[in-house]
Amino acid sequence: MRAPAGPRPRSATETALRMGLDFYYQIATKAEYPRYGNCAGWCGSYSADLKFRSGEDSQQIPADAVKMQSVGTPQVTEANLAVALVLGDPAFLDIARQGGNLMLAGQSPYGGWYFEMWVGPQ
């Protein structure tokens, strides 16, 4: 699924930025939770063929898991929010909202987050 198309890019920099963030949206692990709505999350790093996904510890994690630490879901969500504010593009605001929804869904009862979150059907 592709991110919704926004307004026509005004510069090569904006074009590259949109392409990069569109790619990140495509590789997001997505889920829907009744309480939080559409959610999206990311790992810290991916292999070129996207078959290997890991976090800051470089250990492979399953396809239905995301990272709640640097440089995973929080940073990608923050980047999408920044782009939404700079470009005024609601598509990036929606992606940032989905990342925020996942962080709410994965928050521990004590207010923090675990390093990983499983986003599977269970």
Side-chain angles (χ1 to χ4, degrees):
M1 170 165 40
R2 296 180 59 87
R8 185 182 174 112
R10 298 174 291 230
S11 68
T13 302
E14 186 175 332
T15 299
L17 183 60
R18 287 181 186 280
M19 287 175 57
L21 291 174
D22 183 50
F23 172 75
Y24 252 88
Y25 185 72
Q26 289 177 47
I27 65 171
T29 300
K30 299 174 187 80
E32 185 172 341
Y33 294 96
R35 183 172 177 190
Y36 301 102
N38 291 330
C39 299
W42 296 268
C43 292
S45 62
Y46 298 82
S47 63
D49 62 4
L50 301 177
K51 292 181 180 176
F52 183 84
R53 304 157 33 96
S54 67
E56 103 184 339
D57 59 4
S58 299
Q59 291 185 346
Q60 186 163 4
I61 62 173
D64 63 347
V66 297
K67 296 305 263 186
M68 295 304 226
Q69 65 190 62
S70 181
V71 293
T73 301
Q75 284 72 28
V76 176
T77 299
E78 184 178 21
N80 278 290
L81 180 58
V83 170
L85 295 172
V86 170
L87 299 180
D89 187 339
F92 292 106
L93 183 58
D94 183 54
I95 297 167
R97 185 175 289 114
Q98 290 182 39
N101 288 346
L102 187 68
M103 288 189 285
L104 287 172
Q107 192 169 22
S108 81
Y110 305 105
W113 289 267
Y114 301 101
F115 292 118
E116 294 178 356
M117 180 179 173
W118 278 263
V119 190
Q122 308 303 335

